[in-house]
Amino acid sequence: MRISRRRFLGWMGAAGAAGALPRAARAASNKVFEGYAGSKAVLHDITRCIGCRKCEAACNSVNALPKPEKPFDDLSVLETKRRTTAEAYTVVNQFTPQAAEAKRVYVKKQCNHCLEPACASACFVKAFTKTPEGPVVYNPDVCVGCRYCMIACPFDIPAYEYHKALDPKVMKCTMCHPRLLEGKLPGCVEACPTEALVFGMRDDLIRVARDRIQSYPERYLDHIYGEHEMGGTSWLYVTGTAYAQVGMREDLGNTAAGQLTSGALSAVPMVVGLWPVLLTGIYAINKRKEKIAAQEQAAAVQAAVEKVQAEAAVKLKAAVEKAEKEKAAAIDREVKKALADAAKEKEDKSI
């Protein structure tokens, strides 16, 4: 059964006091997590990406997302740096490195599916989960819309459905988790014509990346992005251009988000427990404001209608009086004309 946000807040509002009792924060841990054995990942070889946007088209189709304003074969969108949105789980951006006569570089951006996700670490209702298969998935049935995940993500990925007022969700790439469970490839990987995207066991892909770096040192930097960043991710990158020059952060360090937030989250269980109460109060205040606004609007509409009706009655009365006066004047003119004609006819007969 799907639990609406309204019902959730109603239930949790009554239970808020109980939730305020001291307890350990479940959203994070200070233990080092090195990933699930056999976890899957994707290796993005930036040197092979040609910016064709076929990965975007495949993602759109697989996830049944709304079609973009410009078709996927329109490469003019690459001239503007884009980020993922609630309607586009992956985007390809174009960069021109600072080196002289450097060629354009294309980089695919999507959720990096961290081994210890910052979004999951910040979420006190466990709406985000790292699966044994590799993807980080989202459960909208328990989400309360706090959007802490959006603030926590170091890669600026989760996007909120602001255009949906009744039941908005946090949207992001799922690494096509349902397809993985069926033994299929992620849609973007399957559609890539240059093998810039490779899917497989994370450990195997790290070995593949290292082999490429060692075999072609003139082509690649000696660094696999995502192997250790933020404790490691399930989306790995190799490139021949400085990562900072292709829109990727180099200031994240290797500490997982869970280790960074475990102390802070465990120190504020009361805030976490009272959060639903706060949301319920805000919701009640907003509903009261909406009710008062609706009443004021209804009163204003009624007053406007009465004013229009009054003005219409005055105009109608004036029009009727004017018509009666014109009618009386017309009758008077006709009577006078008839009398004049009769007098003239009498005069003509007497001559």
Side-chain angles (χ1 to χ4, degrees), residues 131-147:
T131 66
E133 295 79 24
V136 175
V137 298
Y138 165 73
N139 181 3
D141 292 340
V142 299
C143 178
V144 297
C146 68
R147 285 162 280 176

Side-chain angles (χ1 to χ4, degrees), residues 59 62-63 135 173-181 184-188:
C59 177
V62 167
N63 293 287
C173 159
T174 66
M175 203 195 286
C176 293
H177 186 242
R179 289 172 61 90
L180 300 192
L181 296 179
K184 299 178 181 179
L185 292 172
C188 58

Side-chain angles (χ1 to χ4, degrees), residues 141-285:
D141 292 340
V142 299
C143 178
V144 297
C146 68
R147 285 162 280 176
Y148 283 176
C149 55
M150 297 174 63
I151 300 173
C153 179
F155 303 108
D156 194 26
I157 293 299
Y160 195 67
E161 292 181 318
Y162 289 101
H163 61 288
K164 292 186 178 180
L166 298 180
D167 191 24
K169 301 179 182 65
V170 177
M171 309 297 283
K172 72 171 194 67
C173 159
T174 66
M175 203 195 286
C176 293
H177 186 242
R179 289 172 61 90
L180 300 192
L181 296 179
E182 297 175 359
K184 299 178 181 179
L185 292 172
C188 58
V189 176
E190 187 175 68
C192 183
T194 62
E195 295 186 355
L197 301 174
V198 181
F199 177 79
M201 298 288 187
R202 185 175 186 273
D203 292 341
D204 292 342
L205 292 180
I206 290 176
R207 284 192 287 269
V208 169
R210 285 177 178 161
D211 182 65
R212 291 185 185 181
I213 292 172
Q214 293 173 2
S215 300
Y216 305 97
E218 72 286 353
R219 181 187 301 176
Y220 297 100
L221 297 179
D222 188 11
H223 180 67
I224 304 171
Y225 194 97
E227 181 179 10
H228 301 296
E229 276 78 7
M230 292 299 297
T233 66
S234 293
W235 210 280
L236 307 167
Y237 301 80
V238 289
T239 183
T241 307
Y243 287 105
Q245 294 186 28
V246 292
M248 300 174 71
R249 295 183 60 177
E250 294 184 329
D251 61 339
L252 298 177
N254 298 337
T255 304
Q259 299 176 58
L260 295 174
T261 59
S262 59
L265 289 178
S266 61
V268 290
M270 184 172 294
V271 175
V272 174
L274 292 178
W275 171 253
V277 179
L278 175 60
L279 285 181
T280 303
I282 293 174
Y283 176 79
I285 292 172

Side-chain angles (χ1 to χ4, degrees), residues 33-71:
F33 176 62
E34 297 181 353
Y36 291 104
S39 177
K40 304 295 194 301
V42 176
L43 172 62
H44 178 23
D45 190 333
I46 295 174
T47 68
R48 298 188 180 189
C49 184
I50 58 175
C52 65
R53 300 185 66 202
K54 292 188 182 299
C55 56
E56 292 187 36
C59 177
N60 179 275
S61 176
V62 167
N63 293 287
L65 299 173
K67 296 297 182 183
E69 294 182 2
K70 295 183 178 180

